[in-house]
Amino acid sequence: MEYAIPYCFVGILMLFLGLKLSPCNDKIANIYTQRYILFLIWIYFIGFRGFIVTDWKEYYPRFNEFPTFFNSSISYCLSFASNHHWETGYVVFAMILKSLGANYFIYQAISLIIDIVILTYIFDEYCNSKYLPFYFFIYYVFQGFVIETNLMRNSKAIMLFLISIKYINQKDFKRFFLLNLLGYFFHKSTIFYFPLYFVLNKKFSTKFLWLVFLIGNIIFLMHIKIIGGAVDIAVKLLQGTSFAPMLRWYGLTSGNFTGYDLGLGFLERTLTFVMTLKLQNKILKKDINLLPFFNLMYLYIFTYLYLSEINILTSRISMLFVITYPVIYGNIYDKLSKKNKIIFLIFVGAYGILKMLVQCDEPNYLYENYLLTEPNFSKRLLLTH
């Protein structure tokens, strides 16, 4: 429990910030004060984090290996980026910041600030802006913390996809495609976003969604395997491409199956599905542009049900859609009465803090901050092995 305390404290701080300033006072001065404090919390606690979670073991040495545009030629840097096993866009992005004088920890902070700016734009665009701390709390506990600390390549691809959603609503495929093409150069998982242009603006019937949900529950509860053969065929078809070794690396072959069991997560997703489906029409009457986020929520829930036989596949693909939580929960919260707002906040807040308490209770989460003390890579490696 001791490892999780700082992370739970920050979550509670965001909830308190929302309660203190958002529902009770709509004055512009208070809303801006709220935002400044919120951004400072994120930048200080997450932006200037030390070596926490797990993927710093890869990111930190790689960053130190990257050349800069000042000590190497532009052609060499671009050649280095294009030949690197990581995505070219991410490597160039990191090299630019390193060339401007950023060390690894300042780079992390700048990367986070970019994401915060984009998320604020998205939440202002699709939600009631006075509840901003609540949206960031939802993002934080529903995998946003993991995205920002462990998935720094994915995070930029996800942010670019979020921006591109407006072009789904505007039926502007060219701009949608270009934004996600840029995202592809940060992480190849963006390939799953391209077909969504043709799906997310479709309004599916309630009967159809219930049918898909119920079939998914049967597959989940009875542990019916439907992915194994498909994955093995995909490995053969993608032989010689960068995707085949990725499938093997993540253990996505028929002999490496694990699954999710019943738990609080299953109950939360079930309640979320019912609540989302029940309130969808009411919310869409006010803003039809939210339709892609509702469909993303259904995709997120169906991913867990239909891909449950492979843990890593479920977690990786669902991560692409989980960003819908702050927008959907935020709009549900906005539609509730004052009394129901409090009840909703208590349940979501308690569940979110419990998630962080369970998730962060291990040595990898021992918190350290670059602004307080210089993190030591070697010592941290010893601690987490």
Side-chain angles (χ1 to χ4, degrees):
M1 184 180 292
E2 60 182 290
Y3 299 118
I5 288 174
Y7 305 98
C8 295
F9 174 75
V10 167
I12 292 169
L13 202 57
M14 279 187 274
L15 280 176
F16 176 78
L17 184 63
L19 283 171
K20 186 71 177 174
L21 294 172
S22 292
C24 306
N25 201 326
D26 297 340
K27 290 182 180 178
I28 297 298
N30 284 310
I31 291 175
Y32 277 106
T33 299
Q34 172 199 75
R35 292 187 174 212
Y36 293 145
I37 297 172
L38 179 67
F39 296 159
L40 284 173
I41 291 171
W42 272 80
I43 294 168
Y44 175 82
F45 185 76
I46 300 178
F48 284 105
R49 67 191 181 275
F51 297 125
I52 60 172
V53 198
T54 56
D55 281 15
W56 54 269
K57 298 171 188 177
E58 283 288 323
Y59 279 106
Y60 179 74
R62 299 296 182 203
F63 182 86
N64 289 334
E65 292 172 1
F66 292 161
T68 69
F69 290 100
F70 295 125
N71 61 20
S72 303
S73 66
I74 293 177
S75 60
Y76 173 80
C77 288
L78 294 179
S79 175
F80 178 91
S82 62
N83 291 315
H84 200 277
H85 72 279
W86 279 355
E87 290 80 359
T88 303
Y90 172 80
V91 177
V92 171
F93 170 69
M95 286 194 300
I96 290 172
L97 293 184
K98 187 176 179 180
S99 299
L100 295 174
N103 63 17
Y104 176 73
F105 303 103
I106 294 174
Y107 154 74
Q108 284 187 149
I110 295 172
S111 178
L112 178 83
I113 290 169
I114 293 170
D115 291 354
I116 287 176
V117 170
I118 294 173
L119 286 170
T120 301
Y121 162 75
I122 295 299
F123 296 153
D124 282 344
E125 180 79 10
Y126 297 103
C127 307
N128 187 334
S129 59
K130 71 178 181 178
Y131 301 122
L132 193 66
F134 179 61
Y135 311 145
F136 270 96
F137 170 79
I138 297 298
Y139 176 64
Y140 177 71
V141 299
F142 283 96
Q143 302 302 326
F145 171 75
V146 174
I147 290 170
E148 297 300 338
T149 56
N150 245 23
L151 307 176
M152 289 192 289
R153 286 142 59 213
N154 306 61
S155 69
K156 297 298 171 287
I158 292 170
M159 295 303 139
L160 288 165
F161 170 68
L162 281 174
I163 296 172
S164 76
I165 286 177
K166 69 182 292 185
Y167 299 115
I168 297 177
N169 290 322
Q170 294 176 7
K171 295 181 171 57
D172 187 341
F173 179 73
K174 181 180 178 181
R175 292 186 181 182
F176 172 86
F177 178 81
L178 290 175
L179 278 169
N180 287 288
L181 181 62
L182 179 59
Y184 180 81
F185 287 106
F186 280 87
H187 202 273
K188 290 184 177 67
S189 61
T190 304
I191 198 165
F192 288 103
Y193 285 141
F194 288 103
L196 297 186
Y197 177 85
F198 306 99
V199 177
L200 293 185
N201 64 345
K202 306 295 182 184
K203 194 171 187 297
F204 299 97
S205 71
T206 302
K207 289 182 179 179
F208 173 77
L209 292 170
W210 269 114
L211 179 63
V212 176
F213 179 70
L214 292 173
I215 293 173
N217 272 278
I218 293 171
I219 291 171
F220 181 90
L221 295 172
M222 297 186 69
H223 297 272
I224 299 172
K225 293 184 177 181
I226 61 173
I227 307 299
V231 172
D232 287 339
I233 292 170
V235 169
K236 292 177 182 177
L237 291 175
L238 295 171
Q239 199 69 36
T241 72
S242 61
F243 291 100
M246 283 174 64
L247 291 172
R248 293 194 191 94
W249 174 262
Y250 288 122
L252 307 184
T253 52
S254 58
N256 293 288
F257 288 135
T258 56
Y260 281 92
D261 294 318
L262 291 175
L264 272 180
F266 174 79
L267 178 61
E268 174 271 310
R269 288 187 293 274
T270 300
L271 292 174
T272 296
F273 175 81
V274 173
M275 182 172 57
T276 302
L277 194 55
K278 181 179 180 180
L279 295 173
Q280 174 181 278
N281 290 336
K282 182 179 180 181
I283 293 172
L284 290 179
K285 280 182 181 179
K286 185 177 179 181
D287 189 357
I288 191 62
N289 290 327
L290 291 169
L291 180 58
F293 290 97
F294 278 93
N295 286 331
L296 279 173
M297 180 63 83
Y298 301 135
L299 277 173
Y300 173 79
I301 294 168
F302 296 158
T303 297
Y304 270 94
L305 296 176
Y306 285 86
L307 305 181
S308 61
E309 61 192 89
I310 315 174
N311 270 350
I312 188 67
L313 187 60
T314 306
S315 61
R316 288 288 178 171
I317 294 182
S318 66
M319 197 72 73
L320 299 172
F321 311 138
V322 72
I323 189 61
T324 191
Y325 263 88
V327 176
I328 296 300
Y329 271 29
N331 278 278
I332 289 173
Y333 181 74
D334 189 39
K335 297 296 180 291
L336 298 175
S337 65
K338 187 175 181 179
K339 180 181 177 181
N340 287 334
K341 271 186 172 68
I342 294 172
I343 296 172
F344 186 73
L345 202 62
I346 290 172
F347 275 99
V348 173
Y351 177 71
I353 297 302
L354 181 61
K355 273 174 65 73
M356 299 305 291
L357 191 63
V358 173
Q359 174 185 324
C360 304
D361 191 26
E362 59 170 285
N364 282 322
Y365 288 84
L366 178 63
Y367 186 74
E368 57 182 13
N369 191 288
Y370 172 69
L371 297 179
L372 298 178
T373 182
E374 182 79 27
N376 187 296
F377 182 78
S378 300
K379 288 183 178 179
R380 190 69 178 195
L381 275 177
L382 291 173
L383 176 68
T384 55
H385 273 75

